[in-house]
């Protein structure tokens, strides 16, 4: 089980494009970095989408999914249609959570769902420009990761 949790508890900085909100990854073994973590979700999701989309068409690839705040990241190893997620922090040597192995498509779908939820929350909070940017990035990910609107593989 892997889910990217995005809250609607926005805390804005000096502009509508600078905000933090609850943002973490949930597995069957717990939350990473933790269930109360806040981060610049918009920025982080854009980074993650780019990395996941670029690796979608490769047989083998390794990359990092970085959080903006704190020394936290996820090492992703893609082998064929599967990915292994390793949750890491600069605070300690041992893994924070056990590794998660999943179909690469599940990773792309979790990211797509998080971006759609964030887009909707941004729109409802009165930030349509950030909502539109996130919706467009989710569409780009679906195109590059070959995800269809119905959740079935598109023909290549």
């Amino acid at each position: 089980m892997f889910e990217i949790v995005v809250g609607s508890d926005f805390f804005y900085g000096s502009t509508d494009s600078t905000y933090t909100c609850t943002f973490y990854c949930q597995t069957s073994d717990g939350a990473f970095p933790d269930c109360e973590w806040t981060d610049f979700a918009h920025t982080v999701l854009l980074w993650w989408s780019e990395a996941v989309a670029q690796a979608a068409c490769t047989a083998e690839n390794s990359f990092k999914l970085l959080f903006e705040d704190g020394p936290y990241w996820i090492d992703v190893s893609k082998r064929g249609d599967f990915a292994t997620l390793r949750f890491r922090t600069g605070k300690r040597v041992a893994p924070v959570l056990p590794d998660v192995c999943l179909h690469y498509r599940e990773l792309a779908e979790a990211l797509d769902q998080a971006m759609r939820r964030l887009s909707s929350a941004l729109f409802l909070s009165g930030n349509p420009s950030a909502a539109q940017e996130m919706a467009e990035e989710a569409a780009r990910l679906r195109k590059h990761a070959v995800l269809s609107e119905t959740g079935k593989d598109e023909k290549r």
Side-chain angles (χ1 to χ4, degrees):
M1 180 246 169
F2 179 75
E3 178 185 4
I4 301 167
V5 178
V6 179
S8 58
D9 53 341
F10 303 115
F11 179 77
Y12 285 93
S14 58
T15 68
D16 280 353
S17 62
T18 305
Y19 61 86
T20 61
C21 64
T22 300
F23 181 81
Y24 62 93
C25 298
Q26 183 70 46
T27 75
S28 56
D29 293 307
F32 180 79
D34 67 52
C35 64
E36 295 180 2
W37 189 256
T38 61
D39 212 322
F40 295 90
H42 193 104
T43 301
V44 173
L45 288 172
L46 291 175
W47 292 345
W48 291 11
S49 177
E50 181 69 26
V52 168
Q54 284 182 356
C57 297
T58 63
E60 292 191 12
N61 203 325
S62 294
F63 56 92
K64 293 182 184 303
L65 300 177
L66 303 171
F67 287 80
E68 188 161 336
D69 283 345
Y72 299 101
W73 69 93
I74 303 169
D75 285 328
V76 180
S77 296
K78 181 180 185 277
R79 304 289 178 259
D81 290 336
F82 294 91
T84 300
L85 310 180
R86 292 179 179 88
F87 303 92
R88 301 289 187 239
T89 178
K91 292 184 175 181
R92 58 181 122 158
V93 178
V96 178
L97 290 175
D99 294 354
V100 171
C101 296
L102 67 162
H103 199 282
Y104 195 75
R105 179 183 177 79
E106 291 177 62
L107 174 59
E109 287 173 345
L111 184 54
D112 176 56
Q113 290 170 5
M115 289 189 297
R116 288 181 187 216
R117 283 192 304 270
L118 181 58
S119 176
S120 178
L122 286 164
F123 183 80
L124 292 173
S125 74
N127 193 341
S129 60
Q132 182 63 34
E133 182 181 4
M134 190 54 47
E136 289 170 358
E137 184 61 24
R140 191 185 74 78
L141 174 67
R142 286 191 299 278
K143 177 183 175 187
H144 290 287
V146 195
L147 300 175
S148 70
E149 294 290 328
T150 61
K152 297 179 182 175
D153 286 328
E154 293 179 354
K155 294 182 182 174
R156 295 180 187 225

